[in-house]
Amino acid sequence: MQRREFVKYLTAGTAGQFILPALKAHAAVTPLNVVIIGGGMAGATAAKYLRVWAKKLAIDAYVSVTIIDMNAKYTSNIMSNMVLTGEKTLDSLKYNYASLGTKYGVKFIQATVSSADLANGWVYGKTPTSGSNILLNATPFNKLILATGVDFDYGDITLTDSLYTSHYDAIPHAWQAGTQTTLLRTQLVNMKAGNHVAITIPPSPYRCPPGPYERACVIADWLRVKKPGSKLYLYDPKQTSDGRPPVEPNNFGNAFANIHKNLVYVQNAKLTAVTTSSSGTAKMKTLSFVPNVAQGTAPNPKALIANTSVKVEVANVLPKMTAGALARSVLLAEGGLDGDGRWALVDEKTYKSPVSKVYVIGDGIKSANQPKAGHIGNQQAKVCADAILREFSSVALYDTPVTNSACFTPVTTSLNSQYGAMASWLTATFRYGLDSSDGGYRMLPVSTNIESPGSASKDNFESMGKWFTSLMQDVYS
């Protein structure tokens, strides 16, 4: 599928149109009460399409959907790298839940969830005005969807620090758009020209696999103009045979080698410690690395082969990621997590958890093939909503659900006088089926379309905006 066709396809509605005709009207009177914890790309999509499809099936009187989220508005992670470079504002990436309520009848509760009583269907937490834990849902749920995203594990990183109050302040991840984005932007703007920036890539899997490489490109481009003489160091725990990035090697390899001369890319580097110190008015960070894996006799020239360190003014550290803390606490005792206790187990045909009444969608699930990305979360939510309505309507599950993902990747900014703002793109499609390698059933890659080296373009950058607008309208409008 060509890029223009894909954007047009997304605007038309994407997944769900092939699912809906198989559903039938429901005659039962037992209500379906769904509570969704998390109102991001996955959670909001599930809420919307449960109600949209229920109405088309004339069963909406029996289907109640409630979103609970700690924030009154969702702030998109997609495009948030452009906030760091000043090309977008954080407010431009905020979306509220008003349309989901007025158009589709989705209830919204702003609260921080503390626990879920699976046996009785109750959710407890604090609202902005309650001050203490209270019962949040008015009627007990019989389906609970966890769409709580990712959490961050700094356990492998020793922070020796007297200048900041926490890891989040000293070495911001900015991998959840909001206050962390603003903090990293402020540190970049205030840094002294000639001082340097480091970005560390987390161990896989993590949210948005192209994201760290994209961030490196746009910050390096911004530094070249705004902070002359400053370099960006990108440390990657992975390594490849040719030294190109493991994600989109053609596009990012070309950008690193030919566009961003102030970007130093190091592979096989595991971050172990960060030490802060003062240098005049600047707060400096020394990052210490060890080889991630032992090297053979002919290591990649970009691979770290001995312990090393780098001193920078701004350190954007992306730590190891896990499913959100609330999802892990709900699922842990019931056997709903993988062996590491890191990700939620699901059947990708429905996104049902091994834990009764629970479904999990979005970045927090364990998936062998699907990336952790907002567009995929949107697709998983539709498959999940379809499966829940089929079960409620006593209709057989769809045997081969499909998800697809698009990813536009900026590699330069509007500050670039030579190239202008350019982006590359890729798409991937997955279908549920038998994995011949181990006899298990899961989402399997069907096709991947990715552009060739040097193909980042201004046209793609413009298409990225249309794609993003269409995707967010599909979720929140």
Side-chain angles (χ1 to χ4, degrees):
M1 182 182 295
Q2 297 299 310
R3 171 177 47 78
R4 293 181 187 277
E5 294 173 347
F6 187 85
V7 173
K8 182 178 179 181
Y9 176 62
L10 176 63
T11 306
T14 68
Q17 294 188 353
F18 66 91
I19 298 175
L20 188 59
L23 293 173
K24 301 175 182 177
H26 192 277
V29 294
T30 303
L32 173 63
N33 295 321
V34 182
V35 169
I36 302 171
I37 302 177
M41 300 290 291
T45 301
K48 175 179 176 178
Y49 278 90
L50 279 166
R51 290 290 300 166
V52 167
W53 291 340
K55 186 173 184 179
K56 287 188 176 181
L57 296 165
I59 59 172
D60 52 311
Y62 307 109
V63 179
S64 171
V65 181
T66 301
I67 294 175
I68 304 176
D69 196 280
M70 64 186 295
N71 298 306
K73 295 182 179 181
Y74 171 70
T75 306
S76 172
N77 292 298
I78 304 173
M79 300 289 199
S80 64
N81 282 339
M82 296 179 70
V83 175
L84 300 177
T85 59
E87 294 169 284
K88 285 188 175 293
T89 65
L90 206 58
D91 283 345
S92 73
L93 300 180
K94 292 183 177 181
Y95 298 83
N96 63 42
Y97 302 96
S99 289
L100 297 184
T102 57
K103 291 184 181 179
Y104 312 111
V106 174
K107 304 177 184 69
F108 175 74
I109 299 171
Q110 184 182 359
T112 300
V113 176
S114 59
S115 63
D117 178 352
L118 300 181
N120 297 302
W122 299 115
V123 178
Y124 297 89
K126 294 180 181 180
T127 69
T129 58
S130 69
S132 60
N133 283 336
I134 59 173
L135 177 64
L136 297 175
N137 49 322
T139 55
F141 64 77
N142 41 37
K143 300 291 182 187
L144 177 67
I145 299 177
L146 299 175
T148 55
V150 298
D151 208 348
F152 303 92
D153 181 359
Y154 288 91
D156 295 336
I157 304 167
T158 300
L159 176 62
T160 303
D161 170 52
S162 60
L163 305 177
Y164 296 89
T165 58
S166 70
H167 288 79
Y168 293 94
D169 293 327
I171 47 177
H173 57 72
W175 222 238
Q176 286 174 332
T179 56
Q180 281 274 293
T181 314
T182 301
L183 177 58
L184 182 56
R185 163 73 178 169
T186 300
Q187 290 187 3
L188 288 167
V189 169
N190 292 340
M191 70 175 279
K192 180 181 178 181
N195 285 347
H196 306 308
V197 178
I199 297 175
T200 66
I201 299 174
S204 295
Y206 57 87
R207 166 183 281 167
C208 191
Y213 306 94
E214 169 193 322
R215 179 171 286 181
C217 283
V218 298
I219 290 181
D221 208 41
W222 181 87
L223 288 174
R224 180 182 52 80
V225 176
K226 297 294 186 179
K227 306 291 178 179
S230 295
K231 294 181 180 180
L232 185 140
Y233 293 88
L234 178 62
Y235 290 92
D236 195 335
K238 290 187 176 181
Q239 61 177 320
T240 57
S241 60
D242 58 7
R244 295 186 303 167
V247 177
E248 296 186 44
N250 290 333
N251 291 317
F252 288 123
N254 177 69
F256 289 4
N258 300 316
I259 299 176
H260 302 301
K261 303 298 185 181
N262 60 339
L263 192 158
V264 179
Y265 178 49
V266 182
Q267 295 189 338
N268 195 43
K270 178 181 179 181
L271 177 66
T272 59
V274 178
T275 302
T276 65
S277 61
S278 296
S279 177
T281 59
K283 296 179 179 179
M284 306 300 291
K285 294 95 183 179
T286 300
L287 283 64
S288 299
F289 298 89
V290 299
N292 193 39
V293 296
Q295 295 299 298
T297 56
N300 182 312
K302 291 187 181 297
L304 185 68
I305 58 175
N307 295 5
T308 191
S309 64
V310 64
K311 192 171 186 177
V312 299
E313 184 170 348
V314 178
N316 175 209
V317 173
L318 307 182
K320 182 167 66 176
M321 298 181 196
T322 69
L326 188 278
R328 286 183 285 119
S329 69
V330 169
L331 299 173
L332 178 62
E334 304 293 332
L337 298 176
D338 65 0
D340 295 331
R342 188 175 169 191
W343 304 108
L345 299 172
V346 295
D347 175 359
E348 290 180 288
K349 187 176 184 179
T350 61
Y351 296 93
K352 183 180 289 187
S353 165
V355 179
S356 178
K357 299 182 184 179
V358 178
Y359 295 74
V360 190
I361 53 177
D363 296 336
I365 71 166
K366 186 179 184 67
S367 178
N369 297 305
Q370 295 182 103
K372 299 182 183 301
H375 194 160
I376 277 288
N378 163 269
Q379 300 284 286
Q380 293 170 353
K382 293 175 181 179
V383 174
C384 178
D386 168 72
I388 289 174
L389 291 177
R390 284 174 181 269
E391 180 180 321
F392 179 64
S393 301
S394 300
V395 173
L397 293 173
Y398 187 68
D399 286 333
T400 55
V402 174
T403 60
N404 57 60
S405 176
C407 181
F408 284 82
T409 304
V411 295
T412 57
T413 70
S414 56
L415 295 172
N416 196 304
S417 58
Q418 180 178 358
Y419 298 101
M422 300 193 304
S424 61
W425 84 294
L426 67 83
T427 65
T429 303
F430 307 89
R431 178 178 290 112
Y432 186 82
L434 176 65
D435 190 337
S436 59
S437 66
D438 62 4
Y441 283 84
R442 58 182 59 91
M443 283 291 185
L444 303 172
V446 176
S447 64
T448 299
N449 296 315
I450 185 168
E451 295 200 331
S452 58
S455 60
S457 67
K458 295 179 181 179
D459 188 42
N460 283 340
F461 194 91
E462 293 176 1
S463 293
M464 177 177 66
K466 297 175 183 177
W467 162 80
F468 177 68
T469 298
S470 296
L471 180 59
M472 304 312 286
Q473 287 177 343
D474 185 54
V475 180
Y476 291 101
S477 296

